[in-house]
Amino acid sequence: MTSGDLVNGLPPSWRAKILDAPTQSDAAKGHVGKGTFPVAPPNNGAPAAAGPAFDGAAVDQVLLPIPSQAGIAAFESGDRLIIVVDNAFPMDTSTIHGSGFFASLTVSLLPDATLIQLKRDDTRQLFLYQRAEGWVLGDKAPPNVKTHENHVINPSAVNEGILYPMRRSGRVLTVADPSTNERLLVGTSLLDDGGILAMRHAQGYDVWPTLEGVVIAARDPDIALVAVQSGLLLNRDGRKFEDDGQSVYANDVDLKWLGLQDLPDAELLKRYHDRLLKAADSQPADRFDKRIDAARVAFSMGAFMEARGILTVALRDDPEEVGRPEVRFLLAATELMLGFPKNASALDGPWPEKQQRALQLWRALYLEAADQSDSRSVHRLALDLDRVRAYPTNLRDLILPLVAEAIARHGDLADLPALDRLPDQPAYRLARALASQRQNNNDRAYAELSALSTDRDLSLSEKASEAKILLDHDRGKLTTEQTVKALDDLILDARLAGRERNLRLTQAEIYAKAKQWQNAAQIIDQGVPHRGPSHYSTRRNELLLQALQGVAAETNDAMSKEELVKNAALLKAHMPALPQGPARASLLAAYGRILLSLGLSDDATQALSEAIPALETPESKADAGASLAEAALTHQQPEAAAAALDRTESTSLPQPLQAHRDLIRAKIALMKGDKSKGLGLLKNTSGLDARLLGAQFHENQGQWLAAAAELRAAAMLQIPAQGDLDKSQQDLALRLASDASRAGDKNSLQWISDRIGKRSLDDTHAKLFSVLRQSGADDASLNDDERAP
């Protein structure tokens, strides 16, 4: 085919020719020959015609009406996404909606293929997936994104060559790449089997990353790609050949930034020595790049200390070069592999947008090492499990066990089956045992953990023993104290394995589950002291904050003074190290309330005044403002108390909190001498405290009848009709009897006498209550005699 044969809109280097078709069995399944598709007006290179929006999201996706009998392959070439359809047929573009990002989409015909092109002006991730109506191309993930992202074609060696398995392969075509003019072998697929994630460099050919199908850049003319019943077969001149390639997963990060190559140790060592000599003999202008080459080779062979040494010397002589993203990344990855995640924070970005997808694996590795991972980052590790498996041996054997354990401990349940593809080695058996536990297969997990607990690898045996103890605790075989003691017995092993802090934090978690907050905080302080950012800083700080919040939430006025002092001391000790923000402010407000209950109103005022501006919700501000107002009232400062309430006022507070604040306003009014306002507020305020405050005011005024009425209302709320009475209830009964006796209110006196009934009081209360009750009876008799004729 000459260049004159090319249709308009295609790069001049494009050629297409069918090399191979599926086997007869595949044809029988429905793959038909060229020219059998429905005919529609051709769209030779012109932008796709606008039509009705697909799924109501025109800018997010387009529907390509490719029949199910056609095979496709999709890959990137330069600034274009290329979709090759293995038959030439005029496509009906009336259903394609090409607006926004997809406005540049074109459809062109070649004698043996249909080519769909999309010019890419940015680096957004694209998704390609199959539906009944055709294939959907979009810049948003499909609804079943996890399933879709797992669609990867993983090659395997077979007797005839290298097999790229597919459920139904299509034809194989040869095209010339428009960017490089390389000869490409394009193998298509009829079903949504996914593409190749790994760029693979080998002698005579490269395997390109694809969204769908298989694309081989063949430099050796003997390299062939053949459609077979089980997929696509790669061989050399029809014969099997040794797969001597190195996987570099679809990006410049692994290939160029890290320089990964999977070679024998002897070859890696030779390359390392060669790069060192070249760096030593280089001219000053070339020396930095030569040193970086040597550092990359050291990294690829797992010599991370040597890599960091080379980088340190290189950047000392040329410090400005640290601005290059590939240099910063290599330095951060080296620190991560040396076990210093705090020095690898650069892996969390930002990075060039074009490399974002490739960098997600290393960002997830960093987050896991820094104890900051979440389900999303761990899911990224699960998706890239095969990428890690293809890494050079020295790097893979370090990273893969960590990835497996992270997935087992923190991954979504849907990610756990990925662990079944890992080798049958102790490190991966541990991961599978942890996964079994999360899948509620506890018997299987326990058996595996018991076997691994005696492994000669101390890091494995310690982890297995710890998990086994926790499983016994979850099953109810060990109490909280027994669990913590059993973990204590592992401290020496954990220390030797470098996991003592992990174990201490696990003990703290056990205490936290039992709501033993003081114990949880104490074990963190003693076993995992705060030393600034560290490997365990996030988990430590989260657990400590949980313990402090538990202490604050469970502190109440019923506690003894000793317990209150202990809780206040714990909060005060940790306050300076807590970062500024709502969480710290909430704890500071709780600390202020404890100080107020201990009678330390000056310190309480200082703590509450500092906390209120940083509190997040109107309710928390109003609650702290009420406590601050109470502190001001203890100093006879009604104006300051009113100002504290005014600054924290809100129109949407829970009724109990609003009633508490109204009570404080009543106190303020009474203290300022505004009797009418104070009593009015008390009358409209429900609750025990309002009744007791009203009684106190009337008692101070000598208004015993009004005081008895308030106390009777309080007694109806606090004194139950049955059951034993505590001291506060007995005090209230005695106080009501006293005020009723002074007021001559025999009805209230009779009511409290009946309310107490035959229930026993302590000696002091019983004697006084008997005297008051008898006094009331005598007064009643005297009134009867006075009424006699």
Side-chain angles (χ1 to χ4, degrees):
M1 183 170 53
T2 66
S3 60
D5 297 324
L6 291 175
V7 294
N8 296 329
L10 286 175
S13 62
W14 269 102
R15 307 286 190 276
K17 180 181 179 181
I18 293 179
L19 293 181
D20 195 18
T23 61
Q24 290 297 322
S25 59
D26 285 329
K29 293 177 183 177
H31 192 104
V32 295
K34 180 177 68 175
T36 62
F37 300 117
V39 176
N43 182 35
N44 293 336
F54 176 64
D55 282 357
V59 297
D60 294 337
Q61 56 190 11
V62 292
L63 175 63
L64 306 174
I66 300 172
S68 60
Q69 302 94 332
I72 76 164
F75 59 97
E76 292 188 20
S77 174
D79 63 349
R80 300 167 186 259
L81 174 73
I82 306 296
I83 300 176
V84 178
V85 185
D86 66 0
N87 272 269
F89 68 96
M91 184 181 296
D92 181 1
T93 60
S94 62
T95 59
I96 299 178
H97 189 82
S99 63
F101 177 73
F102 297 101
S104 65
L105 189 144
T106 63
V107 180
S108 304
L109 295 180
L110 293 178
D112 296 312
T114 302
L115 300 179
I116 302 169
Q117 302 178 83
L118 178 66
K119 193 173 186 302
R120 304 202 58 184
D121 295 323
D122 55 35
T123 57
R124 73 182 70 185
Q125 185 177 0
L126 295 178
F127 299 89
L128 183 66
Y129 56 100
Q130 194 174 33
R131 289 181 53 164
E133 307 93 327
W135 289 78
V136 178
L137 175 65
D139 62 355
K140 295 291 185 295
N144 57 335
V145 61
K146 292 184 179 180
T147 302
H148 179 75
E149 289 188 8
N150 274 306
H151 281 189
V152 177
I153 298 174
N154 293 308
S156 59
V158 295
N159 292 333
E160 298 81 11
I162 300 173
L163 177 66
Y164 294 87
M166 293 179 177
R167 289 172 293 171
R168 290 180 63 186
S169 61
R171 291 180 171 89
V172 177
L173 303 93
T174 178
V175 301
D177 175 46
S179 299
T180 64
N181 209 33
E182 287 185 270
R183 173 175 171 258
L184 301 181
L185 307 179
V186 180
T188 61
S189 174
L190 277 77
L191 299 176
D192 188 359
D193 283 319
I196 301 294
L197 184 61
M199 170 74 80
R200 191 168 185 82
H201 298 271
Q203 184 177 355
Y205 71 96
D206 293 335
V207 183
W208 282 19
T210 61
L211 283 179
E212 192 70 37
V214 178
V215 174
I216 307 293
R219 297 182 297 274
D220 184 341
D222 292 333
I223 294 293
L225 187 66
V226 183
V228 295
Q229 184 173 354
S230 52
L232 296 167
L233 181 67
L234 182 69
N235 56 34
R236 180 176 275 120
D237 196 19
R239 299 186 302 275
K240 180 181 179 180
F241 60 92
E242 291 297 325
D243 180 15
D244 57 354
Q246 294 85 41
S247 289
V248 185
Y249 270 70
N251 56 73
D252 290 338
V253 170
D254 292 343
L255 174 63
K256 298 178 181 178
W257 289 14
L258 296 179
L260 300 186
Q261 290 197 35
D262 193 8
L263 299 172
D265 289 345
E267 180 64 23
L268 286 172
L269 189 60
K270 180 179 182 299
R271 290 177 68 245
Y272 177 58
H273 288 152
D274 289 345
R275 296 300 191 278
L276 287 178
L277 291 175
K278 288 181 179 179
D281 293 341
S282 61
Q283 297 298 318
D286 300 327
R287 188 164 298 150
F288 183 82
D289 287 335
K290 298 296 184 184
R291 285 171 169 172
I292 295 301
D293 284 343
R296 290 190 179 108
V297 176
F299 186 94
S300 185
M301 61 191 290
F304 307 115
M305 189 66 73
E306 288 77 3
R308 184 170 67 171
I310 296 170
L311 288 168
T312 300
V313 172
L315 290 171
R316 181 193 62 195
D317 294 344
D318 297 283
E320 71 282 356
E321 298 290 349
V322 76
R324 291 163 53 178
E326 68 272 21
V327 174
R328 283 191 299 116
F329 183 82
L330 178 61
L331 181 62
T334 301
E335 292 287 351
L336 181 66
M337 297 312 300
L338 282 171
F340 301 113
K342 65 180 180 180
N343 298 332
S345 59
L347 293 174
D348 201 15
W351 294 100
E353 189 174 346
K354 185 177 181 180
Q355 306 297 345
Q356 286 297 320
R357 169 62 184 89
L359 289 162
Q360 288 307 302
L361 168 64
W362 284 88
R363 177 181 179 273
L365 290 172
Y366 160 73
L367 292 176
E368 181 64 26
D371 228 13
Q372 299 175 26
S373 62
D374 53 26
S375 60
R376 183 176 179 181
S377 63
V378 176
H379 178 57
R380 185 79 267 158
L381 294 177
L383 294 178
D384 280 342
L385 198 61
D386 288 332
R387 173 179 175 182
V388 178
R389 292 182 67 181
Y391 271 177
T393 304
N394 294 319
L395 191 60
R396 178 195 64 215
D397 290 348
L398 290 173
I399 295 179
L400 193 55
L402 302 177
V403 170
E405 188 174 340
I407 295 170
R409 292 186 185 275
H410 313 304
D412 291 336
L413 292 179
D415 292 331
L416 299 184
L419 301 175
D420 295 335
R421 305 199 306 268
L422 297 177
D424 186 21
Q425 297 174 5
Y428 310 122
R429 287 167 52 202
L430 173 66
R432 283 192 284 266
L434 297 174
S436 295
Q437 185 178 353
R438 293 189 56 207
Q439 293 167 320
N440 293 322
N441 194 344
N442 290 330
D443 292 338
R444 176 183 175 185
Y446 197 85
E448 190 68 83
L449 293 171
S450 298
L452 290 170
S453 64
T454 59
D455 195 274
R456 286 186 292 182
D457 185 339
L458 190 61
S459 64
L460 281 177
S461 62
E462 188 277 327
K463 289 177 184 177
S465 298
E466 179 183 333
K468 181 169 169 285
I469 291 169
L470 295 179
L471 189 52
D472 279 334
H473 174 69
D474 292 341
R475 286 175 156 182
K477 294 183 178 180
L478 296 175
T479 65
T480 297
E481 289 71 22
Q482 289 171 333
T483 303
V484 173
K485 175 61 174 63
L487 293 172
D488 261 333
D489 294 339
L490 292 177
I491 286 296
L492 180 58
D493 287 349
R495 187 174 301 156
L496 293 174
R499 297 190 73 256
E500 181 177 0
R501 288 188 172 190
N502 287 81
L503 193 62
R504 291 300 189 191
L505 290 174
T506 299
Q507 290 178 308
E509 286 179 338
I510 294 298
Y511 277 132
K513 286 181 180 179
K515 296 187 177 182
Q516 298 184 24
W517 307 118
Q518 282 278 354
N519 288 337
Q522 181 179 359
I523 207 166
I524 292 173
D525 289 338
Q526 294 178 354
V528 196
H530 181 70
R531 296 172 183 168
S534 71
H535 191 145
Y536 304 95
S537 62
T538 301
R539 185 183 175 203
R540 174 199 183 274
N541 293 343
E542 288 177 351
L543 274 173
L544 180 59
L545 183 61
Q546 182 185 1
L548 296 177
Q549 289 171 334
V551 167
E554 294 192 358
T555 300
N556 56 71
D557 294 336
M559 287 183 170
S560 65
K561 183 176 181 180
E562 181 181 356
E563 290 175 312
L564 291 173
V565 169
K566 190 175 180 182
N567 287 352
L570 180 67
L571 293 176
K572 181 180 180 180
H574 291 92
M575 210 61 66
L578 292 175
Q580 296 292 334
R584 180 183 184 275
S586 178
L587 291 174
L588 189 59
Y591 172 61
R593 284 190 285 270
I594 297 175
L595 293 177
L596 186 61
S597 65
L598 290 171
L600 303 173
S601 55
D602 288 337
D603 293 333
T605 298
Q606 181 178 350
L608 290 164
S609 298
E610 181 184 347
I612 288 173
L615 291 171
E616 204 167 30
T617 65
E619 183 177 344
S620 61
K621 286 180 180 290
D623 193 14
S627 298
L628 182 59
E630 288 183 310
L633 290 178
T634 62
H635 291 285
Q636 303 295 308
Q637 297 175 341
E639 297 294 343
L645 292 178
D646 291 341
R647 289 197 306 270
T648 57
E649 194 59 79
S650 175
T651 58
S652 58
L653 297 176
Q655 194 279 328
L657 177 56
Q658 187 61 60
H660 179 53
R661 287 170 62 88
D662 290 343
L663 180 64
I664 297 173
R665 290 196 182 277
K667 290 181 181 179
I668 294 171
L670 294 175
M671 187 175 290
K672 294 169 67 175
D674 192 342
K675 174 182 175 182
S676 176
K677 180 179 180 180
L679 293 179
L681 286 169
L682 288 178
K683 182 178 179 180
N684 295 322
T685 303
S686 61
L688 178 65
D689 290 338
R691 305 285 70 78
L692 293 177
L693 179 60
Q696 182 182 357
F697 174 80
H698 291 302
E699 287 169 345
N700 292 338
Q701 302 294 317
Q703 300 169 350
W704 303 111
L705 187 62
E710 292 281 14
L711 290 175
R712 180 171 175 176
M716 293 178 69
L717 295 172
Q718 189 179 24
I719 300 177
Q722 297 178 350
D724 295 336
L725 302 176
D726 61 27
K727 184 178 181 303
S728 65
Q729 292 166 336
Q730 294 182 45
D731 285 343
L732 179 57
L734 191 60
R735 183 179 171 186
L736 172 55
S738 176
D739 286 6
S741 178
R742 291 189 182 194
D745 183 0
K746 63 180 182 180
N747 288 332
S748 294
L749 192 59
Q750 185 62 45
W751 181 88
I752 189 60
S753 178
D754 293 341
R755 189 76 164 186
I756 298 300
K758 296 182 179 180
R759 285 181 285 184
S760 61
L761 308 178
D762 62 47
D763 290 343
T764 302
H765 287 86
K767 290 177 182 179
L768 291 174
F769 190 77
S770 177
V771 170
L772 291 170
R773 184 162 51 183
Q774 184 61 43
S775 174
D778 292 342
D779 289 341
S781 298
L782 178 61
N783 292 336
D784 290 340
D785 291 341
E786 290 175 347
R787 288 193 295 271

